[in-house]
Amino acid sequence: QVQLVESGGGLVQAGGSLKLSCAASGSILPINSMGWYRQGPGKQRELVATITGGSTNYADSVKGRFTISGDNAKNTVYLQMNSLKPEDTAVYYCNADMRVRVGLNNRYWGQGTQVTVTS
């Protein structure tokens, strides 16, 4: 069993910063990628950022403001969020894509952490 535990969410004013962390534990399999998704009120879950090896990918809405990074030794991924806007308000979910065997991957999700940005 794999667990993903997020932390670092909270309430912040527009223009402020937060840093989210997500630690994977349990029966860790080889990690293909890790990432962050978010779901705002009344919206569908959307990609925020992913990291695969040394490569990163960002949603256009967060480029230049958010930075994803990882610590392989700790099986942890971080999301540094700067210049936050009210529209960044959402529940942020950590995701890990792990390789069970060749040709079979499993995707795991954290429980989510609330980020609220006030104007």
Side-chain angles (χ1 to χ4, degrees):
Q1 193 77 345
V2 175
Q3 295 84 39
L4 299 179
V5 179
E6 302 113 331
S7 61
L11 179 68
V12 64
Q13 287 188 330
S17 299
L18 284 173
K19 186 174 184 177
L20 306 183
S21 300
C22 171
S25 63
S27 303
I28 304 294
L29 299 167
I31 296 175
N32 295 319
S33 65
M34 294 188 76
W36 292 93
Y37 290 70
R38 67 185 181 187
Q39 187 165 13
K43 299 181 180 179
Q44 291 188 331
R45 191 173 297 189
E46 63 177 0
L47 170 72
V48 176
T50 60
I51 184 166
T52 304
S55 298
T56 57
N57 179 54
Y58 297 94
D60 288 343
S61 59
V62 305
K63 281 181 181 177
R65 300 188 297 123
F66 290 11
T67 303
I68 188 170
S69 61
D71 185 333
N72 292 335
K74 296 181 179 179
N75 294 314
T76 299
V77 65
Y78 306 96
L79 185 68
Q80 177 67 47
M81 306 185 292
N82 298 329
S83 302
L84 283 161
K85 304 176 181 179
E87 50 263 44
D88 294 319
T89 295
V91 177
Y92 283 70
Y93 296 92
C94 176
N95 163 271
D97 188 88
M98 299 184 184
R99 186 169 64 256
V100 178
R101 59 175 183 270
V102 174
L104 178 64
N105 300 320
N106 275 356
R107 174 166 283 193
Y108 300 92
W109 293 92
Q111 80 285 354
T113 185
Q114 177 71 46
V115 171
T116 302
V117 185
T118 61
S119 58

